[in-house]
Amino acid sequence: MPTHDRLDATDARLVAALTETPRATVLALADRLKLSRNTVQARLTRLEGAGVLDSFERRVVPRTLGYPLTAFVTTQVTQRFLDEVGAALADIPEVLQVHGISGPTDLLVHIVAVDDTDLYRIAGQILAIPGVERTNTALVMRELVPYRITPLLARLASVR
């Protein structure tokens, strides 16, 4: 089994198999990986409990919900209001993710919008949060490399 914060090669193989076939049963995974059903079940339970496996909602494409525009908003924040700004951003449904970053800005906010008018509204909503000093919005024109974890799993799974 992995330590509390690292996967081992067997776990990487298991997660990679789940990535390829997300609806696979424990029995199918055990057969494919040449592991016992109990081993697979125990490892899956541990991985889920440790938060290794992300939520299912990550697989839902916002475009299919009527949000074809994606943007990133860099946000400069008064440091003492950082927690309050984070909480306010979490209350905006179109905010998908917020990262605290280093550099001249403090937050990288991933948002989606219905159209340009909606994007303008959401950007204004972010700017209106007390503690937000400045924002800069960059519209995503095209995704060149989608979110992926498989190459890292393959590397770890090959370590013996």
Side-chain angles (χ1 to χ4, degrees):
M1 288 301 274
T3 63
H4 70 288
D5 62 348
R6 294 275 315 235
L7 299 182
D8 63 16
T10 301
D11 288 317
R13 289 176 47 229
L14 176 57
V15 174
L18 274 173
T19 301
E20 291 172 18
T21 314
R23 294 182 180 203
T25 64
V26 171
L27 193 55
L29 291 167
D31 186 50
R32 178 175 174 180
L33 299 173
K34 308 292 186 243
L35 298 169
S36 76
R37 185 194 62 76
N38 288 340
T39 297
V40 170
Q41 183 63 60
R43 285 177 178 261
L44 282 175
T45 300
R46 186 178 187 301
L47 292 170
E48 289 171 350
V52 171
L53 302 175
D54 210 345
S55 70
F56 180 79
E57 70 182 11
R58 187 161 184 99
R59 295 182 47 143
V60 178
V61 178
R63 178 181 65 254
T64 65
L65 302 174
Y67 295 90
L69 296 183
T70 299
F72 289 93
V73 181
T74 55
T75 308
Q76 192 172 340
V77 177
T78 303
Q79 292 302 298
R80 71 177 186 271
F81 294 119
L82 195 56
D83 290 338
E84 292 87 347
V85 169
L89 288 168
D91 287 339
I92 300 172
E94 296 87 357
V95 171
L96 301 184
Q97 197 171 25
V98 179
H99 293 283
I101 58 175
S102 63
T105 59
D106 301 300
L107 302 174
L108 179 63
V109 183
H110 181 188
I111 66 172
V112 292
V114 173
D115 55 26
D116 58 335
T117 303
D118 194 39
L119 179 61
Y120 186 80
R121 177 191 62 80
I122 298 161
Q125 210 175 349
I126 293 170
L127 193 54
I129 297 171
V132 171
E133 297 173 1
R134 175 181 303 253
T135 64
N136 187 5
T137 302
L139 184 62
V140 172
M141 303 301 286
R142 179 169 63 140
E143 183 178 68
L144 298 174
V145 179
Y147 179 85
R148 63 194 184 136
I149 200 79
T150 305
L152 298 175
L153 288 169
R155 179 185 291 164
L156 182 58
S158 68
V159 175
R160 299 272 172 191

